[in-house]
Amino acid sequence: MDNSQLKLLQKPLPLKWRVRSAYPNKVNPTHVVLVGYIDSRQVQDLLDEVVGAANWQDEYFECKNKQFCRIGIKINDEWIWKGDSGAETSTEAGKGETSDAFKRAAVKWGINRTAYKVGEVKLLCKMYESRPYPVDDSGRFLKGEALYLECNRLAKTEDFEIEFDKSFDSMAQIAEAAKANKTSKRITKPKVIKP
């Protein structure tokens, strides 16, 4: 495991979108505010892909009535740990808190930092069964792939993917230059001949 491999953990993941709030109020909203998120399976898959399934582990514990998670990654035969606490969710409070702790611990490793950079997306909305739902400019409900594409367009998630690719390419070039430099130094290093 080296820095370029750890950098791969910062690869932007496809965001899912959920309504966080109604604007200007819940009673008579004109817009909904959506936030991007990932689920814990995406984190697990990325860790498996980048560091290997045998080279990471997670651990949970409670402290001051808060659920904590630590994620350990094996680097040069040593386990390095980073962790954070979670917050209860409105659905499945305990499970949500555990999942949130895991995802927050993952952020310490660079996973899903993009979601924090992306921020919020605001869309028009229409009430349906006493709840606000996002709609397009024509008033048609946005859901599934259409909602995903519209949120990503407004959040400009493609820009973050391009930025990551450029950053990773330049880091790979630096690593290659460093390897070449070490090799050339080894080759040109003068031999000391003892009499």
Side-chain angles (χ1 to χ4, degrees):
M1 175 67 55
D2 62 23
N3 283 339
S4 62
Q5 284 175 288
L6 287 176
K7 177 79 174 169
L8 281 173
L9 292 175
Q10 296 175 24
K11 171 174 79 170
L13 295 171
L15 295 176
K16 299 176 182 192
W17 295 90
R18 67 174 173 79
V19 174
R20 182 171 80 185
S21 60
Y23 177 84
N25 57 55
K26 292 180 184 178
V27 179
N28 195 18
T30 58
H31 292 78
V32 285
V33 176
L34 294 100
V35 292
Y37 71 97
I38 60 171
D39 64 36
S40 60
R41 302 297 179 274
Q42 289 172 279
V43 174
Q44 294 165 13
D45 290 344
L46 183 64
L47 285 165
D48 286 350
E49 176 188 328
V50 174
V51 303
N55 295 316
W56 74 271
Q57 58 183 308
D58 53 344
E59 175 181 274
Y60 299 87
F61 60 96
E62 193 171 305
C63 181
K64 296 186 179 181
N65 295 322
K66 286 199 168 266
Q67 177 76 49
F68 280 79
C69 174
R70 295 186 331 148
I71 296 175
I73 294 179
K74 196 173 194 178
I75 301 172
N76 299 325
D77 293 325
E78 182 181 349
W79 287 99
I80 308 297
W81 293 87
K82 296 183 181 190
D84 205 343
S85 66
E88 286 186 357
T89 59
S90 56
T91 58
E92 299 184 85
K95 182 180 174 189
E97 184 177 11
T98 301
S99 177
D100 190 47
F102 177 70
K103 292 186 290 185
R104 287 183 185 203
V107 171
K108 299 281 179 87
W109 285 103
I111 298 172
N112 196 38
R113 287 187 183 162
T114 304
Y116 294 94
K117 294 176 185 174
V118 166
E120 306 171 333
V121 169
K122 190 189 289 187
L123 292 172
L124 292 169
C125 74
K126 205 163 53 172
M127 296 299 282
Y128 178 75
E129 294 183 357
S130 303
R131 295 181 64 189
Y133 286 90
V135 296
D136 63 15
D137 292 338
S138 304
R140 291 185 302 254
F141 287 106
L142 287 170
K143 58 184 178 179
E145 185 73 12
L147 178 62
Y148 171 80
L149 292 172
E150 182 63 6
C151 288
N152 285 336
R153 183 185 70 78
L154 292 171
K156 299 180 181 176
T157 57
E158 188 176 293
D159 293 352
F160 294 101
E161 293 167 13
I162 292 168
E163 180 185 317
F164 172 80
D165 290 343
K166 284 181 183 175
S167 169
F168 190 77
D169 287 345
S170 64
M171 188 171 186
Q173 290 169 354
I174 291 167
E176 281 301 314
K179 280 181 188 175
N181 194 23
K182 282 181 183 177
T183 304
S184 65
K185 282 182 182 174
R186 265 191 241 123
I187 291 169
T188 60
K189 186 177 177 182
K191 291 183 180 180
V192 177
I193 301 171
K194 294 182 181 179

